[in-house]
């Protein structure tokens, strides 16, 4: 340790040595061509192709001394001794020591100095090219030291892992050191996670950009509205101030004119008194001068003049002289009446009439069948005391038909309008009011009430074990946007009664997939822009067997269908003829009625209770079967036919006017019919004795429907919605 301290350079700086030749690594050695281990041996041993032994010895000693001083590896010590006494080979010593240096540079301050640093170098020891030893120790060489391998970039990337704790990529070899207690993950996984996080943040940024753009548009609208409002207020203030200035100027002129008239009157009065006083004063002065002159005259003249003067003085003194000021100099209290000016000033401080409100478009699900919720805004600082909401139904195309208008007064910026007609459009507009007046009306917005609930045609529901076809009436005069079917499975240990929905149905029927042998409660809603309607009345569907109604449109006048829809009767007397329905849907040759089977491929089973003495036909046919022909008389129908005559029963299985030669010994009272789309078969059974009667091999290129015919008075009772018997399932 002393040798290490003595040999260490105070200016030495630690640089981590990158095993993969980082560009930033400190180059301790000059770049020279790399040599193999055998070439180094040859050079040190003086073999051919190598340098002279003495020169190699000296070069190695100089390189060792340089490395000792630059790398703080210590002075003379253990390694030099080993090389000097020949106790170890050159490669073994260098390999051991340089691997120790390599570990020391990797671990840094965490390694123990005594275990990792060379004790010293022997100056007189055997030589070896230290540069080649360093390159060997920091590269990858084979056991024979034949070649020097530099790792490729892809190996570098493959050796990297991601430290989750430090949030930085590290080399796999470093995991066991400073990252031993940290959470690490493969770099590819960390890269995918980082990409996912970036994509999520980009999605959030896009969302925020949209929000900020909407907010900026809203701010722009508010900015324009505020600017317009303040512009109107400025015009209002200017108008009021101009009016006030005109009023003040008028009052000024009136007051100035009144003051001038009073001034002129007073000055004229005072001036008249002043002139009269001056005249009296002049007369007095003249009399005094005359009397003084008389005093200097002779007695005779004095007496003559004195008599005349006495008369004159008597007249003058007897004249009354006005010595009272006719007008006082004090000013009168000129109180100005500014009440009208104050009223004008007060009107300036009065809030202006509000601007037009902005009515909002209809929000989703804001309506019911009889009400809508209307909202509006006031994008300004106007003071509003109340709002007047007006509405009326949207006019139809009927000319000259005026729709009544309705008005409501509300305090808030929303209102729920009730007592409306379902699935109807109304136009709304609103005005704002305060004590200064009423605002202009807003733009008109069209709102729509929700539809009325649909009406399910319960008697026309068709079902099988896998599905059900639900039909309904809209219940609304105007079209709706779509329908939603809601179905709830009856609560059982397997089902919890969760409601499922089929949405976006454009027409008044829907084929829904169901689970076999279950019971469902089904509702239908209608939807438009105002929202969904209330639920329809519920119907119950059982997915046991196949259930179908009889098609009333195919029933001829001679047949009657019972109210429950499952019994077909033909009476003795002939029923009055009915008008033929459009489309030629009724059978005209045979008295038959067709059932509406659900259009689902699979296996369908139903039963027919028959009268042993009745003449009937039971089978299936395509919907476009010729109605003017008998069942089984063409390639579009298959049937089992029974005729009773002279106490004898005759059974035929007809298709395209052909029948096999089959005799039935036990007349069936209940016939089972199995329609198998999967195997293209139609089978008939005697249910009471579980007997198979006959099976057709059919070419079912489309969907067929059950058919029932009575050639003579009698009745047929159809039983559907029943489970398939075991003996039938084998066919």
């Amino acid at each position: 340790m002393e040798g290490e301290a003595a040999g260490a350079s105070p200016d030495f700086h630690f640089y981590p040595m990158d095993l993969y030749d980082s560009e930033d690594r400190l180059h301790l050695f000059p770049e020279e061509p790399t040599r193999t281990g055998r070439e180094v041996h040859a050079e040190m041993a003086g073999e051919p192709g190598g340098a002279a032994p003495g020169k190699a010895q000296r070069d190695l000693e100089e390189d060792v001394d340089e490395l000792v001083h630059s790398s703080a590896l210590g002075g003379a010590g253990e390694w030099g001794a080993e090389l000097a006494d020949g106790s170890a080979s050159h490669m073994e010593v260098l390999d051991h020591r340089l691997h120790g240096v390599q570990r020391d540079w990797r671990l840094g301050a965490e390694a123990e100095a005594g275990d990792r640093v060379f004790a010293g170098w022997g100056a007189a020891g055997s030589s070896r090219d230290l540069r080649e030893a360093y390159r060997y120790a920091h590269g990858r060489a084979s056991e024979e030291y034949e070649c020097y391998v530099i790792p490729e970039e892809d190996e570098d990337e493959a050796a990297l892992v991601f430290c989750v704790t430090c949030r930085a990529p590290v080399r796999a070899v470093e995991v066991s050191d400073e990252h031993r207690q940290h959470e690490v993950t493969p770099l590819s996984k960390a890269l995918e996670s980082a990409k996912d996080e970036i994509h999520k943040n980009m999605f959030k940024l896009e969302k925020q950009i949209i929000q900020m753009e909407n907010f900026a548009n809203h701010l722009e609208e508010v900015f324009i509205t505020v600017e317009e409002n303040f512009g109107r207020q400025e015009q209002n203030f200017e108008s009021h101030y101009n009016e006030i200035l005109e009023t003040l100027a008028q009052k000024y002129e009136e007051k100035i004119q009144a003051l001038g008239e009073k001034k002129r009157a007073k000055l004229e009065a005072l001036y008249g008194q002043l002139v009269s006083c001056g005249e009296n004063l002049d007369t007095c002065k003249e009399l005094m001068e005359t009397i003084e002159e008389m005093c200097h005259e002779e007695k005779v003249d004095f007496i003559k003049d004195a008599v005349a003067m006495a008369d004159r003085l008597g007249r003058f003194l007897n004249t009354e002289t006005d010595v009272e000021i006719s007008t006082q100099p004090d000013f009168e209290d000129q109180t100005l009446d500014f009440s009208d000016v104050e009223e004008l000033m007060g009107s300036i401080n009065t809030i202006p009439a509000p601007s037009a409100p902005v009515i909002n478009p209809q929000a989703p699900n804001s309506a019911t069948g009889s009400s809508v919720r209307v909202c509006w805004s006031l994008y300004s600082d106007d003071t509003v005391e109340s709002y007047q909401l007006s509405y009326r139904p949207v006019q139809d195309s009927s000319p000259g038909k005026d729709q009544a208008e309705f008005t409501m007064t509300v305090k808030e910026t929303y209102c729920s309008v009730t007592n409306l007609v379902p699935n109807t459009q109304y136009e709304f507009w609103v005005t704002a009011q305060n004590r200064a007046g009423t605002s202009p009306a807003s733009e008109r917005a069209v709102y729509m009430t929700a539809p009325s609930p649909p009406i399910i045609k319960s008697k026309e529901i068709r079902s099988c074990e896998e599905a059900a076809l639900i039909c309904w009436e809209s219940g609304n005069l105007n079209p709706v946007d779509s329908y939603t079917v809601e179905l709830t499975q009856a609560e059982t240990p397997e089902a919890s009664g969760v409601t499922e929905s089929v949405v976006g149905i454009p027409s008044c029927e829907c084929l829904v997939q169901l689970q076999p042998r279950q019971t469902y409660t089904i509702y239908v809603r209608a939807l438009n822009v105002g929202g969904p309607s209330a639920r329809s009345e519920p119907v119950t569907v059982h997915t046991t067997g196949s259930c179908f109604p009889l098609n009333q449109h195919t029933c001829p006048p001679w047949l009657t269908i019972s109210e429950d829809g499952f019994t077909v009767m033909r009476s003795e007397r002939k029923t009055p003829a009915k008008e033929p329905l459009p489309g030629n849907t009724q059978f005209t040759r045979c008295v038959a009625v067709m059932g509406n089977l659900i259009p689902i491929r699979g296996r369908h089973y139903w039963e027919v209770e028959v009268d042993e003495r009745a003449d009937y036909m039971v089978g299936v046919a395509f919907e476009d079967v010729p109605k003017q022909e008998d069942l089984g008389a063409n390639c579009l129908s298959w049937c089992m036919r029974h005729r009773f005559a002279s106490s004898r029963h005759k059974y035929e299985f007809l298709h395209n006017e052909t029948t096999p030669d089959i005799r039935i010994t036990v007349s069936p009272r209940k016939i089972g019919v199995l329609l198998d789309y999967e195997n293209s078969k139609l089978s008939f059974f005697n249910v009471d004795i579980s007997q198979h009667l006959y099976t057709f091999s059919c070419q079912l290129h489309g969907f067929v429907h059950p058919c029932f015919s009575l050639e003579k008075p009698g009745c047929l009772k159809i039983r559907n919605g029943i489970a398939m018997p075991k003996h039938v399932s084998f066919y």
Side-chain angles (χ1 to χ4, degrees):
M1 298 300 293
E2 293 177 358
E4 177 185 352
S9 174
D11 297 327
F12 175 76
H13 297 283
F14 174 76
Y15 291 90
M17 296 302 175
D18 192 347
L19 290 177
Y20 307 116
D21 282 347
S22 171
E23 295 180 357
D24 298 331
R25 190 182 68 196
L26 177 66
H27 297 282
L28 296 178
F29 305 103
E31 295 293 337
E32 292 185 7
T34 304
R35 291 175 290 173
T36 65
R38 289 184 178 180
E39 292 176 348
V40 177
H41 277 294
E43 180 180 331
M44 292 189 294
E47 297 177 359
K55 185 176 182 301
Q57 175 78 15
R58 289 192 299 273
D59 291 343
L60 180 60
E61 290 178 358
E62 293 176 359
D63 291 340
V64 167
D65 291 338
E66 180 181 355
L67 180 61
V68 166
H69 290 291
S70 62
S71 305
L73 296 178
E78 180 181 352
W79 194 2
E82 292 178 359
L83 290 173
D85 60 16
S87 61
S89 66
H90 306 305
M91 293 304 297
E92 291 175 353
V93 173
L94 286 174
D95 183 29
H96 172 71
R97 294 307 179 186
L98 287 175
H99 273 79
V101 174
Q102 178 184 358
R103 290 193 301 273
D104 222 18
W105 283 339
R106 285 183 182 174
L107 298 176
E110 297 179 1
E112 296 181 2
D115 296 334
R116 297 292 184 264
V117 182
F118 298 118
W121 288 78
S126 300
S127 65
R128 186 176 180 180
D129 194 328
L130 188 59
R131 178 172 58 257
E132 296 299 330
Y134 166 78
R135 288 188 175 178
Y136 157 71
H138 285 72
R140 295 181 181 177
S142 64
E143 294 182 356
E144 294 81 17
Y145 316 109
E146 287 295 330
C147 61
Y148 174 74
V149 181
I150 299 177
E152 300 294 336
E153 289 297 328
D154 56 347
E155 296 180 7
D156 188 8
E157 294 179 359
L160 291 178
V161 295
F162 186 78
C163 179
V164 180
T165 306
C166 300
R167 299 182 65 83
V170 296
R171 295 182 180 84
V173 296
E174 298 180 2
V175 174
S176 61
D177 299 331
E178 56 180 310
H179 302 279
R180 181 177 301 170
Q181 303 298 329
H182 295 176
E183 179 184 357
V184 296
T185 184
L187 187 62
S188 60
K189 185 177 180 180
L191 181 62
E192 293 297 328
S193 177
K195 288 181 178 179
D196 292 341
E197 186 68 23
I198 289 176
H199 287 316
K200 291 179 182 178
N201 292 333
M202 288 177 64
F203 177 74
K204 293 179 180 178
L205 281 175
E206 291 176 356
K207 206 172 178 184
Q208 187 172 359
I209 288 173
I210 294 174
Q211 292 177 351
M212 294 304 296
E213 287 178 349
N214 294 335
F215 181 67
N217 293 334
H218 176 65
L219 282 180
E220 185 178 358
E221 293 177 356
V222 174
F223 180 87
I224 295 174
T225 305
V226 170
E227 185 179 18
E228 291 176 353
N229 290 339
F230 274 95
R232 288 197 301 269
Q233 290 184 2
E234 290 174 358
Q235 295 176 358
N236 189 24
F237 287 161
E238 183 179 0
S239 174
H240 278 76
Y241 276 114
N242 290 335
E243 187 177 356
I244 290 173
L245 291 177
E246 291 177 0
T247 304
L248 288 174
Q250 182 179 357
K251 287 186 172 295
Y252 173 79
E253 293 294 335
E254 292 176 355
K255 291 297 180 182
I256 291 297
Q257 184 177 359
L259 288 175
E261 292 176 355
K262 290 182 179 180
K263 171 185 175 183
R264 185 166 54 253
K266 285 191 174 185
L267 290 179
E268 288 178 354
L270 291 175
Y271 181 75
Q273 282 190 322
L274 184 59
V275 171
S276 175
C277 182
E279 292 177 350
N280 290 335
L281 184 59
D282 292 340
T283 303
C284 290
K285 288 180 178 180
E286 180 184 358
L287 290 174
M288 286 296 294
E289 291 177 357
T290 303
I291 292 173
E292 288 179 359
E293 290 178 358
M294 287 175 57
C295 290
H296 295 288
E297 292 180 354
E298 294 294 332
K299 294 179 180 181
V300 177
D301 295 330
F302 176 77
I303 292 174
K304 291 179 181 179
D305 293 334
V307 174
M309 183 58 67
D311 294 336
R312 185 178 177 186
L313 285 173
R315 289 194 302 270
F316 179 76
L317 293 175
N318 289 331
T319 303
E320 184 178 0
T321 303
D322 186 7
V323 293
E324 296 292 335
I325 298 177
S326 61
T327 301
Q328 297 296 327
D330 298 334
F331 289 102
E332 297 179 0
D333 186 12
Q334 299 293 331
T335 302
L336 299 178
D337 183 11
F338 288 103
S339 58
D340 49 354
V341 177
E342 292 174 355
E343 182 178 353
L344 289 173
M345 292 294 293
S347 65
I348 295 178
N349 299 324
T350 303
I351 57 175
S355 57
V358 179
I359 194 164
N360 301 338
Q362 184 172 10
N365 302 325
S366 62
T368 66
S370 61
S371 67
V372 293
R373 180 182 174 88
V374 185
C375 301
W376 57 90
S377 305
L378 198 66
Y379 292 135
S380 66
D381 298 329
D382 293 345
T383 300
V384 177
E385 298 176 357
S386 63
Y387 297 94
Q388 292 285 337
L389 177 64
S390 302
Y391 64 95
R392 67 179 179 184
V394 175
Q395 291 185 356
D396 54 19
S397 58
S398 301
K401 187 176 180 180
D402 295 332
Q403 299 289 349
E405 295 185 3
F406 305 91
T407 302
M408 303 174 62
T409 301
V410 293
K411 295 290 186 181
E412 298 81 9
T413 56
Y414 60 89
C415 179
S416 293
V417 184
T418 58
N419 299 323
L420 303 178
V421 179
N423 200 37
T424 303
Q425 290 183 333
Y426 291 84
E427 58 179 359
F428 291 85
W429 63 97
V430 64
T431 58
Q433 294 178 331
N434 60 19
R435 64 174 180 265
T438 303
S439 73
S442 67
E443 295 291 334
R444 302 199 175 198
V446 176
Y447 280 58
M448 193 170 192
T449 52
S452 298
I455 303 171
I456 299 179
K457 301 177 181 178
S458 57
K459 293 185 178 181
E460 297 184 14
I461 293 177
R462 295 177 270 173
S463 65
C464 62
E465 293 196 348
E466 294 85 15
L469 182 61
I470 312 299
C471 302
W472 59 86
E473 293 179 356
S474 173
N476 297 273
L477 296 177
N478 298 323
V480 300
D481 294 342
S482 64
Y483 298 93
T484 298
V485 173
E486 299 177 357
L487 47 117
T488 304
Q489 189 173 347
E491 294 191 18
T492 61
E494 296 80 13
S496 58
V498 177
T499 299
E500 300 179 3
S501 298
V502 181
V503 300
I505 304 170
S507 60
C508 290
E509 68 175 24
C510 177
L511 183 66
V512 292
Q513 301 296 322
L514 304 175
Q515 297 296 324
R517 294 175 294 281
Q518 299 294 330
T519 300
Y520 292 87
T521 302
I522 296 180
Y523 308 87
V524 180
R525 296 180 187 266
L527 288 87
N528 62 13
V529 295
S533 70
R535 278 179 167 181
S536 66
E537 292 295 327
V539 295
T540 302
V541 174
H542 305 280
T543 55
T544 302
S546 297
C547 184
F548 57 87
L550 296 177
N551 189 347
Q552 298 277 358
H553 300 296
T554 62
C555 184
W558 299 276
L559 289 182
T560 303
I561 301 176
S562 62
E563 291 186 3
D564 60 5
F566 298 113
T567 302
V568 180
M569 297 170 290
R570 180 173 181 177
S571 60
E572 292 285 351
R573 63 186 183 86
K574 186 176 180 180
T575 305
K578 301 178 182 178
E579 294 183 3
L581 296 177
N584 194 22
T585 59
Q586 290 183 349
F587 287 92
T588 58
R589 181 174 181 83
C590 64
V591 183
V593 64
M594 187 177 286
N596 279 336
L597 190 65
I598 185 171
I600 293 291
R601 294 190 174 273
R603 308 185 84 189
H604 301 276
Y605 178 79
W606 64 91
E607 295 176 354
V608 184
E609 294 182 6
V610 299
D611 186 354
E612 293 181 352
R613 297 178 178 273
D615 292 352
Y616 58 84
M617 286 187 289
V618 176
V620 299
F622 286 100
E623 187 173 3
D624 57 348
V625 63
K627 303 299 190 297
Q628 67 276 10
E629 298 180 5
D630 287 329
L631 294 176
N634 48 64
C635 62
L636 299 178
S637 60
W638 298 260
C639 74
M640 172 184 173
R641 182 177 183 180
H642 170 259
R643 287 183 176 179
F644 180 76
S646 302
S647 302
R648 297 183 61 182
H649 299 275
K650 182 180 180 180
Y651 293 93
E652 296 175 301
F653 295 92
L654 296 168
H655 174 63
N656 211 12
E657 295 185 341
T658 61
T659 178
D661 186 11
I662 295 177
R663 294 185 180 182
I664 299 176
T665 57
V666 179
S667 297
R669 295 184 177 180
K670 187 183 295 183
I671 301 172
V673 183
L674 174 63
L675 174 62
D676 189 352
Y677 280 103
E678 297 175 356
N679 299 307
S680 298
K681 292 182 179 181
L682 175 66
S683 302
F684 296 89
F685 302 87
N686 187 337
V687 177
D688 293 332
I689 60 175
S690 302
Q691 180 187 20
H692 172 248
L693 299 178
Y694 184 74
T695 297
F696 287 102
S697 293
C698 311
Q699 296 296 327
L700 302 176
H701 56 272
F703 293 105
V704 295
H705 298 283
C707 292
F708 311 93
S709 174
L710 286 169
E711 299 182 17
K712 292 182 179 180
C715 70
L716 298 175
K717 186 174 182 179
I718 297 97
R719 297 180 68 247
N720 55 26
I722 57 178
M724 187 182 305
K726 291 183 179 179
H727 69 275
V728 174
S729 60
F730 296 136
Y731 288 90

